[in-house]
Amino acid sequence: QSVLTQTPSASGAPGQRVTITCSGGSSNIRTNSVYWYQHVPGAAPKLLIYDTDQRPSGVPDRFSGSKSGTSASLAISGLRSEDEAHYYCAVWDNKLSVLFGGGTKLTVL
Amino acid sequence: QVRLVESGGDLVKPGGSLRLSCEVSGFTFSDYYMSWIRQAPGKGLEWVAYIGPTGSTINTADSLKGRFSISRDNAKNFLFLQINSLRAEDTAVYYCARHDFWTGSSPYLDFWGQGALVTVSS
């Protein structure tokens, strides 16, 4: 059971906007940057968002991150079939250990 | 280009030991924090441990301390994970990953390997 809670599944039709949330606590999300990863089964996980709301070069601006208090969100707009994957939030805890959320499986209808 | 290639995954009996390797290339290995992350079948990503550039800083997930040991050989560009007293619940794909240079041990993992499968079964 992860300290970071994510809704197990989410879905949306092509072109729609989907938001995936990650709930944590005062010792992790509230005080540290949040990172988001996309994981397609069989492939290596890919960093989508760093420092809560920054995109690495090459990541489309359809992906955006934010946080408020002890929760963080990943929004995906203009949903495409290739966005179907598992999405994980990650954060430092107060012992500088890395925590991953339980993951959200995104289905593109 | 940056490459991370895991090896050493195998079918192991409960109670056995295994050492995973991650050979890296395309960057100055000795400048970076490195991590191991695993994914059990049907489960999410679980961070295992990280090691600092010189090997003097090590942090292991609380639930895995005692059986998991991370190390590195900067001269040969290898990262290792020693797993002892293997249990069925250690069955997973194990990934090595590079941390971002500027943020050290933060969860900013910018390059990952393809993973090595460890199966623990009698």
Side-chain angles (χ1 to χ4, degrees), chain B residues 35-82:
Chain B
S35 264
W36 287 98
I37 300 99
R38 69 180 184 178
Q39 184 178 34
K43 303 291 186 182
L45 300 176
E46 179 184 19
W47 172 75
V48 174
Y50 64 63
I51 185 168
T54 64
S56 60
T57 299
I58 288 175
N59 194 357
T60 306
D62 284 345
S63 61
L64 303 178
K65 282 177 180 171
R67 297 192 301 118
F68 287 70
S69 178
I70 190 172
S71 61
R72 65 193 297 162
D73 183 338
N74 285 344
K76 296 182 178 178
N77 286 354
F78 273 89
L79 176 72
F80 303 106
L81 183 68
Q82 177 72 36

Side-chain angles (χ1 to χ4, degrees), chain A residues 33 35 37 39 42-47 50-51 56 88 90-92 95-103, chain B residues 35 37 39 43-47 50 59-62 95 99 103-110 112-114:
Chain A
S33 292
Y35 301 78
Y37 292 88
H39 191 201
K46 174 186 174 184
L47 178 72
Y50 68 96
D51 288 354
Y88 296 89
V91 69
W92 253 333
K95 292 183 288 186
L96 299 184
S97 295
V98 176
L99 299 175
F100 281 101
Chain B
S35 264
I37 300 99
Q39 184 178 34
K43 303 291 186 182
L45 300 176
E46 179 184 19
W47 172 75
Y50 64 63
N59 194 357
T60 306
D62 284 345
Y95 297 95
H99 289 253
T103 57
S105 65
S106 82
Y108 190 154
L109 299 161
D110 56 5
W112 296 61
Q114 291 296 315

Side-chain angles (χ1 to χ4, degrees), chain B residues 13-32:
Chain B
K13 288 183 167 50
S17 297
L18 192 71
R19 188 174 83 155
L20 298 175
S21 300
C22 172
E23 183 176 14
V24 312
S25 58
F27 64 99
T28 304
F29 180 56
S30 58
D31 283 345
Y32 289 83

Side-chain angles (χ1 to χ4, degrees), chain A residues 54-103:
Chain A
Q54 301 298 302
R55 284 185 308 277
S57 61
V59 173
D61 60 5
R62 301 186 297 107
F63 295 90
S64 62
S66 63
K67 80 172 180 179
S68 177
T70 59
S71 290
S73 297
L74 172 71
I76 309 171
S77 60
L79 207 57
R80 304 174 69 159
S81 58
E82 58 260 38
D83 298 333
E84 189 160 291
H86 290 83
Y87 292 84
Y88 296 89
C89 57
V91 69
W92 253 333
D93 71 5
N94 56 2
K95 292 183 288 186
L96 299 184
S97 295
V98 176
L99 299 175
F100 281 101

